[in-house]
Amino acid sequence: MDLQLSGVTKIFEPDIVALEDVYLQIESGEFVYLVGETGSGKTTLMRCVTREVVPTRGHISVGGYMLRKIKRYDLALFRRDIGVIFQDFALLPNLTALENVKFVLEIMGLSPKETTERASEELKNVGLWRRRDMYPPQLSGGEQQRLAIARAIVNTPALLLADEPTGNLDPSTADEIMQLLLSINAAGTTILMATHNPHFVDTYRHRVIEIHRGRVVRDEEKGRFDANGLC
Amino acid sequence: MASARYAFRDGWRLVVRHWGLSLLTIFTAMAVFYVIGASTLFVMNVRHIVSKLEDQLTIQAYVKPGVDLDALAKKISALEEVRDTKVITKELALERLRTRLGNQVEAVSLLGENPLPPSIEVRVDKASQVSNTALKIDVMDDVDDVVFAGPVAEKLSKVSNFAGQFSVVLLVVAFLASGVVLFNTIRISVYSREEEINVMVMVGATSTYVAMPFVIQGFLLGFAGALLAFLFVGGTYFSAIVKLKDMLPFLTFIESPQLLYKLGFMLVCCGATVSLIASLLAVEKFIKNAMEPL
Ligand SMILES: Nc1ncnc2c1ncn2[C@@H]1O[C@H](COP(=O)(O)OP(=O)(O)OP(=O)(O)O)[C@@H](O)[C@H]1O
Ligand SMILES: [Mg+2]
């Protein structure tokens, strides 16, 4: 799923400029790192792409969906096509770990059997099978993050937005998750990943987009994490 | 359908999770629907009694001596609002007096010649027409005098009308009251799940999907309230009738069980309708907002 932002500016009330005149073109199948200091606008950019936020100016199109005038029902369909790993996880606290993952498949109308099979498999992939009957508040930060990842990828999304997906994980678990994301990308999913982790960016070299105070200040193929000393 | 199963399961979960609120709502709905049911029965009985009494309402037209009774009866029957007429000859009048007096019948015989005047008994269609018709009959040449229960007739028709209007007002008020209570309960559960709703919408749930459990929650509560109210009304009605018949033996009440089944059906339909509307309203705007971007 490809992604275009043209002239996207987001100003939050009263006058916080979170994004300013952002132009981006991401092709289907790319793996892109989004870097930048805290508060630079990475999450806001992703929320524009999920249409949780609508830009003050500019247009966004994702895989043929024009987000500015998308209808409510189409918005639901669009969100089923993409996967999002939220920075704050956004899990459903009253559903068990397994039910959380099953939920996205259920709303897509899959059969109960297929739903259970695929959700179980995804939980195993992120190493949470033993925790399947626990509720999110009972899970550790890292476990919650892995659950959020499982839910985001269980529907094999065409586009995955990953907002700091390894922020709460120890280095070895983080690396496992990174391998998981790379393999999903190799299978065709476009990935946009916001990260503060220099190790990954410098080890698994891909395109790097750097934001500074809401502006794109760098966009290079196989870039390094911190070329300008801004991150 | 998997999503219908989910909606029912989740609607039920909502009822159980907020069980205190659920009980409160069910009892309130029950009280309201009890009032609706009881007042409906009351009004139907008032109507029933009034129509029975109307049947017994007559105008007595006393006739001047020597008049052809049958001809006069025909003339009166020709009036539009008259249902039927009955000729009471001197003999028939005496006969009636005899039966009414029972064993004091000797006193009547003592009078010697029959002193009772002949008359024509007139029945009209509606109680409200009695006074008017009586006037029309009174001005007829052959008629000596008319006797009728004018004020009683008018009061009866007023009671019947008032009971009808009163029940309509009560119905509207009760409907609104139960609607508001259900609306508030659903609102509270919606707000208690505010974050979850936002998450569901973010991962691609449609507004219908998100709304369904709440609508079903409201439906279950309203339905339960109406059903309980019906059982209560049904349970109390017949024992109340038995007592009333003891106290007011001259009145007749509606006693058919069919009536109760109809009432129960009506109550449950009302409960379902009100709760569906209330919960749809409660949830609709909220979910629309959840889908709106920042
Ligand atoms: N809803 C909002 N209302 C007002 N200001 C907001 C809102 N959301 C974000 N901002 C502001 O927009 C700016 C960008 O925030 P954003 O969350 O996009 O940063 P970020 O790059 O994701 O940071 P981090 O690396 O810490 O996650 C910040 O200054 C933030 O305070
Ligand atoms: Mg962020």
Coordinates of all heavy atoms in Angstrom, one line a residue, chain A residues 10 12 47 50-54 72-73 75-77 79-80 86 90-95 99 103-104 106-107 110 112 151, chain B residues 2-3 5-6 9-10 13 17 193 195-197 199-207 209 284 287-288 290-294:
Chain A
K10 N -0.3 20.5 10.3 CA -1.3 20.3 11.4 C -1.0 21.3 12.5 O 0.1 21.3 13.1 CB -1.2 18.9 12.0 CG -2.2 18.7 13.1 CD -3.7 18.8 12.6 CE -4.6 18.9 13.8 NZ -6.0 19.1 13.4
F12 N -2.4 22.4 16.1 CA -3.3 22.1 17.2 C -3.7 23.4 17.9 O -2.9 24.4 17.9 CB -2.7 21.2 18.2 CG -2.6 19.7 17.8 CD1 -1.4 19.2 17.5 CD2 -3.7 19.0 17.6 CE1 -1.3 17.8 17.1 CE2 -3.7 17.6 17.2 CZ -2.4 17.1 16.9
R47 N -0.9 9.7 13.1 CA -2.3 9.8 13.4 C -3.0 10.5 12.2 O -4.2 10.3 12.0 CB -2.5 10.6 14.7 CG -2.1 9.9 15.9 CD -2.1 10.7 17.1 NE -3.4 10.8 17.7 CZ -3.8 11.8 18.5 NH1 -3.0 12.7 18.9 NH2 -5.0 11.8 19.0
T50 N -3.7 7.6 9.9 CA -4.9 6.7 10.3 C -6.2 7.6 10.3 O -7.2 7.0 10.6 CB -4.7 6.2 11.7 OG1 -4.5 7.3 12.6 CG2 -3.5 5.3 11.8
R51 N -6.1 8.8 10.1 CA -7.2 9.8 10.1 C -7.8 9.9 11.5 O -9.0 10.2 11.6 CB -8.2 9.5 9.1 CG -8.9 10.7 8.6 CD -10.3 10.4 8.1 NE -11.0 11.6 7.7 CZ -12.2 11.9 8.2 NH1 -12.7 11.2 9.1 NH2 -12.8 13.0 7.7
E52 N -7.0 9.7 12.5 CA -7.4 10.1 13.8 C -7.3 11.6 13.9 O -8.0 12.2 14.7 CB -6.4 9.4 14.8 CG -7.0 9.1 16.1 CD -5.9 8.4 17.0 OE1 -4.9 7.8 16.5 OE2 -6.0 8.6 18.2
V53 N -6.4 12.1 13.1 CA -6.2 13.6 13.1 C -6.4 14.0 11.6 O -6.0 13.3 10.7 CB -4.8 13.9 13.5 CG1 -4.5 15.4 13.2 CG2 -4.7 13.7 15.0
V54 N -7.1 15.1 11.4 CA -7.2 15.6 10.0 C -6.3 16.8 9.9 O -6.3 17.7 10.8 CB -8.7 15.8 9.7 CG1 -9.2 17.1 10.2 CG2 -8.9 15.6 8.2
R72 N -17.7 7.5 6.5 CA -17.5 6.8 7.8 C -17.3 5.3 7.6 O -16.5 4.7 8.2 CB -18.7 7.1 8.7 CG -18.4 8.2 9.7 CD -19.2 8.0 11.0 NE -20.5 8.4 10.8 CZ -21.5 8.1 11.6 NH1 -21.3 7.4 12.7 NH2 -22.7 8.5 11.4
Y73 N -18.1 4.7 6.8 CA -18.0 3.3 6.6 C -16.7 2.9 5.9 O -16.1 1.9 6.3 CB -19.2 2.8 5.8 CG -19.3 1.3 5.7 CD1 -19.6 0.5 6.9 CD2 -19.0 0.6 4.6 CE1 -19.6 -0.8 6.8 CE2 -19.0 -0.8 4.5 CZ -19.3 -1.5 5.7 OH -19.3 -2.9 5.6
L75 N -14.0 4.5 6.1 CA -12.9 4.7 7.1 C -12.7 3.4 7.9 O -11.6 3.0 8.1 CB -13.3 5.8 8.0 CG -12.3 6.2 9.1 CD1 -10.9 6.6 8.5 CD2 -12.8 7.3 10.0
A76 N -13.8 2.8 8.3 CA -13.7 1.5 9.0 C -13.0 0.5 8.1 O -12.1 -0.3 8.6 CB -15.1 1.0 9.4
L77 N -13.4 0.4 6.9 CA -12.8 -0.6 5.9 C -11.3 -0.3 5.8 O -10.5 -1.2 5.8 CB -13.5 -0.6 4.6 CG -15.0 -1.0 4.6 CD1 -15.5 -1.0 3.1 CD2 -15.1 -2.4 5.2
R79 N -9.3 1.2 7.8 CA -8.5 0.9 9.0 C -8.4 -0.6 9.2 O -7.4 -1.1 9.9 CB -9.2 1.5 10.3 CG -9.0 3.0 10.4 CD -9.8 3.6 11.5 NE -9.5 5.0 11.6 CZ -10.2 5.9 12.3 NH1 -11.2 5.4 13.0 NH2 -9.8 7.1 12.4
R80 N -9.2 -1.4 8.6 CA -9.0 -2.9 8.6 C -7.9 -3.3 7.7 O -7.3 -4.4 7.9 CB -10.3 -3.6 8.2 CG -11.4 -3.4 9.2 CD -12.7 -4.1 8.7 NE -13.8 -3.6 9.4 CZ -15.1 -3.9 9.1 NH1 -15.3 -4.8 8.2 NH2 -16.0 -3.4 9.8
F86 N 0.2 1.2 18.4 CA 0.1 2.6 19.0 C 1.2 2.7 20.0 O 1.6 1.8 20.7 CB -1.3 2.7 19.6 CG -2.4 2.7 18.7 CD1 -3.0 1.5 18.4 CD2 -2.8 3.8 18.0 CE1 -4.1 1.4 17.5 CE2 -3.9 3.8 17.1 CZ -4.5 2.6 16.9
A90 N -3.0 1.0 23.3 CA -4.5 1.1 23.0 C -5.1 -0.3 22.9 O -5.7 -0.7 22.0 CB -4.7 1.8 21.7
L91 N -4.9 -1.1 24.0 CA -5.5 -2.4 24.1 C -6.9 -2.3 24.7 O -7.2 -1.3 25.4 CB -4.6 -3.4 24.9 CG -3.2 -3.6 24.3 CD1 -2.3 -4.2 25.3 CD2 -3.3 -4.4 23.1
L92 N -7.7 -3.4 24.5 CA -9.0 -3.4 25.1 C -8.9 -4.0 26.5 O -8.7 -5.3 26.6 CB -10.0 -4.1 24.2 CG -10.3 -3.4 22.9 CD1 -11.0 -4.3 21.9 CD2 -11.1 -2.1 23.2
P93 N -9.0 -3.3 27.6 CA -8.7 -3.8 28.9 C -9.6 -4.9 29.4 O -9.2 -5.7 30.3 CB -8.8 -2.6 29.8 CG -9.7 -1.6 29.1 CD -9.5 -1.9 27.6
N94 N -10.8 -5.0 28.8 CA -11.8 -6.0 29.3 C -11.8 -7.2 28.5 O -12.6 -8.1 28.7 CB -13.2 -5.4 29.4 CG -13.3 -4.3 30.4 OD1 -12.8 -4.4 31.5 ND2 -13.8 -3.1 30.0
L95 N -10.9 -7.3 27.6 CA -10.8 -8.6 26.8 C -9.4 -9.2 27.1 O -8.4 -8.5 27.4 CB -10.8 -8.3 25.3 CG -12.1 -7.6 24.7 CD1 -12.0 -7.5 23.2 CD2 -13.3 -8.4 25.1
E99 N -8.4 -12.6 23.1 CA -9.6 -11.9 22.6 C -9.2 -10.6 22.0 O -9.9 -10.2 21.0 CB -10.6 -11.6 23.8 CG -11.3 -12.9 24.2 CD -12.1 -12.7 25.5 OE1 -11.8 -11.7 26.2 OE2 -13.0 -13.5 25.8
F103 N -10.2 -9.8 18.2 CA -11.2 -8.8 17.9 C -11.1 -8.2 16.5 O -12.1 -8.1 15.8 CB -11.0 -7.6 18.9 CG -12.0 -6.5 18.8 CD1 -13.3 -6.7 19.3 CD2 -11.7 -5.4 18.1 CE1 -14.2 -5.6 19.2 CE2 -12.7 -4.4 17.9 CZ -13.9 -4.5 18.5
V104 N -9.8 -7.9 16.0 CA -9.7 -7.3 14.7 C -10.2 -8.3 13.6 O -10.6 -7.9 12.6 CB -8.2 -6.9 14.4 CG1 -8.0 -5.5 14.9 CG2 -7.2 -7.8 15.0
E106 N -12.5 -10.6 14.1 CA -14.0 -10.8 14.2 C -14.7 -9.6 13.5 O -15.7 -9.9 12.8 CB -14.4 -10.7 15.7 CG -14.5 -12.1 16.3 CD -14.6 -12.0 17.8 OE1 -14.8 -10.9 18.4 OE2 -14.4 -13.1 18.5
I107 N -14.2 -8.4 13.7 CA -14.9 -7.3 13.0 C -14.8 -7.4 11.5 O -15.5 -6.8 10.8 CB -14.4 -5.9 13.5 CG1 -12.9 -5.7 13.3 CG2 -14.8 -5.7 14.9 CD1 -12.4 -4.3 13.7
L110 N -14.5 -12.7 9.9 CA -13.9 -14.1 9.7 C -14.7 -15.1 10.6 O -15.3 -14.7 11.6 CB -12.4 -14.1 10.1 CG -11.4 -13.9 8.9 CD1 -11.7 -12.6 8.2 CD2 -10.0 -14.0 9.4
P112 N -15.4 -18.0 13.3 CA -14.8 -18.1 14.6 C -13.6 -19.1 14.6 O -12.6 -18.8 15.3 CB -15.9 -18.8 15.4 CG -17.2 -18.3 14.7 CD -16.8 -18.2 13.3
R151 N -1.7 -7.8 17.6 CA -3.0 -7.3 17.1 C -2.8 -6.5 15.8 O -3.6 -6.6 14.9 CB -3.7 -6.4 18.2 CG -5.0 -6.0 17.7 CD -5.7 -5.0 18.6 NE -4.9 -3.8 18.7 CZ -5.2 -2.8 19.5 NH1 -6.3 -2.9 20.3 NH2 -4.5 -1.7 19.6
Chain B
A2 N -21.5 -14.2 13.4 CA -20.6 -14.0 14.6 C -20.8 -12.7 15.3 O -20.8 -12.6 16.5 CB -19.2 -14.2 14.1
S3 N -21.0 -11.6 14.5 CA -21.1 -10.3 15.1 C -22.4 -10.2 15.9 O -22.4 -9.5 16.9 CB -21.0 -9.2 14.1 OG -22.0 -9.3 13.2
R5 N -23.8 -12.6 17.6 CA -23.5 -13.3 18.8 C -22.7 -12.5 19.7 O -23.0 -12.4 20.9 CB -22.8 -14.6 18.5 CG -23.7 -15.8 18.6 CD -22.9 -17.1 18.9 NE -21.5 -17.0 19.2 CZ -20.5 -17.5 18.4 NH1 -20.9 -18.1 17.3 NH2 -19.3 -17.4 18.7
Y6 N -21.7 -11.8 19.2 CA -20.8 -11.0 19.9 C -21.7 -9.9 20.6 O -21.5 -9.6 21.8 CB -19.8 -10.3 19.1 CG -19.3 -9.0 19.5 CD1 -18.3 -8.9 20.5 CD2 -19.8 -7.8 19.0 CE1 -17.9 -7.6 21.0 CE2 -19.4 -6.6 19.4 CZ -18.5 -6.5 20.4 OH -18.1 -5.3 20.9
R9 N -23.7 -11.2 23.5 CA -22.9 -11.6 24.6 C -22.4 -10.3 25.3 O -22.4 -10.2 26.5 CB -21.7 -12.3 24.0 CG -20.9 -13.2 25.0 CD -19.7 -13.8 24.4 NE -18.8 -12.8 23.8 CZ -17.9 -13.1 22.9 NH1 -17.8 -14.3 22.4 NH2 -17.2 -12.1 22.4
D10 N -22.0 -9.3 24.5 CA -21.4 -8.1 25.1 C -22.5 -7.2 25.7 O -22.3 -6.6 26.7 CB -20.7 -7.3 24.0 CG -19.6 -6.6 24.5 OD1 -18.9 -7.1 25.4 OD2 -19.4 -5.4 24.1
R13 N -23.1 -8.7 28.9 CA -21.9 -8.4 29.8 C -22.1 -7.0 30.4 O -21.9 -6.8 31.6 CB -20.6 -8.3 29.0 CG -19.9 -9.6 29.0 CD -18.5 -9.4 28.5 NE -17.9 -10.6 27.9 CZ -16.7 -10.7 27.3 NH1 -16.0 -9.6 27.3 NH2 -16.3 -11.8 26.8
R17 N -22.2 -6.2 34.2 CA -21.1 -5.4 34.8 C -21.7 -4.2 35.6 O -21.2 -3.9 36.7 CB -20.2 -4.9 33.7 CG -19.1 -4.1 34.4 CD -17.9 -3.9 33.5 NE -17.5 -5.1 32.8 CZ -17.3 -5.2 31.5 NH1 -17.3 -4.1 30.8 NH2 -17.0 -6.3 30.9
R193 N -17.2 3.2 28.8 CA -16.4 2.5 27.9 C -15.8 3.4 26.8 O -15.4 3.0 25.7 CB -17.3 1.5 27.1 CG -17.6 0.3 27.9 CD -18.0 -0.8 26.9 NE -18.0 -2.1 27.5 CZ -18.3 -3.2 26.7 NH1 -18.6 -3.0 25.5 NH2 -18.3 -4.3 27.3
E195 N -13.0 4.9 26.3 CA -11.7 4.6 25.7 C -11.8 3.3 24.8 O -11.2 3.3 23.7 CB -10.7 4.3 26.8 CG -9.9 5.6 27.2 CD -9.0 5.3 28.3 OE1 -8.2 4.3 28.2 OE2 -8.9 6.1 29.3
E196 N -12.5 2.3 25.3 CA -12.7 1.1 24.5 C -13.3 1.4 23.1 O -12.9 0.9 22.1 CB -13.5 0.1 25.2 CG -12.8 -0.5 26.4 CD -13.8 -1.4 27.1 OE1 -14.0 -2.6 26.7 OE2 -14.3 -0.9 28.1
I197 N -14.3 2.3 23.2 CA -15.0 2.6 21.9 C -14.0 3.3 21.0 O -14.0 2.9 19.8 CB -16.2 3.6 22.2 CG1 -17.3 2.8 22.9 CG2 -16.7 4.2 20.9 CD1 -18.5 3.6 23.3
V199 N -10.8 2.9 20.8 CA -9.9 1.8 20.3 C -10.6 1.0 19.3 O -10.0 0.8 18.2 CB -9.4 0.9 21.5 CG1 -8.6 -0.2 20.9 CG2 -8.6 1.8 22.4
M200 N -11.8 0.5 19.5 CA -12.5 -0.3 18.6 C -12.6 0.4 17.2 O -12.4 -0.2 16.2 CB -13.9 -0.6 19.1 CG -14.0 -1.5 20.3 SD -15.7 -1.8 20.8 CE -15.4 -2.9 22.2
V201 N -13.0 1.7 17.3 CA -13.1 2.5 16.1 C -11.8 2.6 15.4 O -11.7 2.5 14.1 CB -13.8 3.8 16.4 CG1 -13.6 4.8 15.3 CG2 -15.2 3.7 16.7
M202 N -10.7 2.7 16.1 CA -9.4 2.9 15.5 C -8.9 1.6 14.8 O -8.2 1.7 13.9 CB -8.4 3.2 16.6 CG -8.3 4.7 17.0 SD -8.1 5.7 15.5 CE -6.6 5.1 14.8
V203 N -9.3 0.5 15.3 CA -8.9 -0.7 14.6 C -9.9 -1.2 13.5 O -9.8 -2.3 13.0 CB -8.5 -1.9 15.6 CG1 -7.4 -1.5 16.5 CG2 -9.8 -2.3 16.4
G204 N -10.9 -0.4 13.3 CA -11.7 -0.7 12.1 C -13.1 -1.2 12.4 O -13.8 -1.7 11.5
A205 N -13.6 -1.0 13.6 CA -15.0 -1.4 13.9 C -15.9 -0.4 13.3 O -15.7 0.8 13.4 CB -15.2 -1.6 15.4
T206 N -17.0 -0.8 12.7 CA -18.0 0.2 12.2 C -18.8 0.7 13.4 O -18.9 0.1 14.4 CB -19.0 -0.5 11.2 OG1 -19.6 -1.6 11.9 CG2 -18.3 -1.0 10.0
S207 N -19.5 1.8 13.1 CA -20.3 2.4 14.2 C -21.4 1.5 14.6 O -21.8 1.4 15.8 CB -20.8 3.8 13.9 OG -21.3 3.8 12.6
Y209 N -21.4 -1.8 14.6 CA -20.8 -2.8 15.4 C -20.6 -2.4 16.8 O -20.9 -3.1 17.8 CB -19.5 -3.3 14.8 CG -18.8 -4.5 15.4 CD1 -19.1 -5.7 14.8 CD2 -18.0 -4.4 16.5 CE1 -18.5 -6.9 15.4 CE2 -17.4 -5.5 17.0 CZ -17.7 -6.7 16.5 OH -17.1 -7.8 17.0
E284 N -25.7 7.0 19.6 CA -25.5 7.4 18.2 C -24.5 8.6 18.1 O -23.5 8.5 17.5 CB -26.8 7.8 17.6 CG -26.8 7.7 16.1 CD -26.8 9.1 15.4 OE1 -26.6 10.1 16.1 OE2 -26.8 9.0 14.2
I287 N -20.8 7.9 19.2 CA -20.0 7.1 18.3 C -19.6 7.9 17.1 O -18.5 7.8 16.6 CB -20.7 5.8 17.9 CG1 -20.7 4.9 19.2 CG2 -20.0 5.1 16.8 CD1 -21.4 3.6 19.0
K288 N -20.6 8.8 16.7 CA -20.3 9.7 15.6 C -19.0 10.5 15.9 O -18.1 10.7 15.2 CB -21.5 10.6 15.3 CG -21.7 10.8 13.8 CD -22.8 11.8 13.7 CE -23.9 11.3 12.8 NZ -25.1 12.2 12.8
A290 N -16.7 9.8 18.1 CA -15.5 8.9 18.2 C -14.9 8.8 16.8 O -13.7 8.6 16.7 CB -15.9 7.6 18.8
M291 N -15.7 8.8 15.8 CA -15.2 8.6 14.4 C -14.7 9.9 13.8 O -14.1 9.8 12.8 CB -16.2 7.9 13.6 CG -16.5 6.5 14.0 SD -17.4 5.5 12.8 CE -16.0 4.7 11.9
E292 N -15.1 11.0 14.4 CA -14.6 12.3 13.9 C -13.1 12.5 14.2 O -12.7 12.2 15.3 CB -15.4 13.4 14.5 CG -16.7 13.7 13.8 CD -16.6 13.8 12.3 OE1 -15.8 14.7 11.9 OE2 -17.2 13.0 11.6
P293 N -12.4 13.0 13.2 CA -11.0 13.2 13.5 C -10.8 14.5 14.4 O -11.7 15.3 14.5 CB -10.4 13.4 12.1 CG -11.5 13.9 11.3 CD -12.8 13.3 11.9
L294 N -9.6 14.6 14.9 CA -9.2 15.8 15.7 C -9.0 17.0 14.8 O -8.5 16.8 13.7 CB -7.9 15.5 16.4 CG -7.8 15.7 17.9 CD1 -9.0 15.0 18.6 CD2 -6.5 15.2 18.5

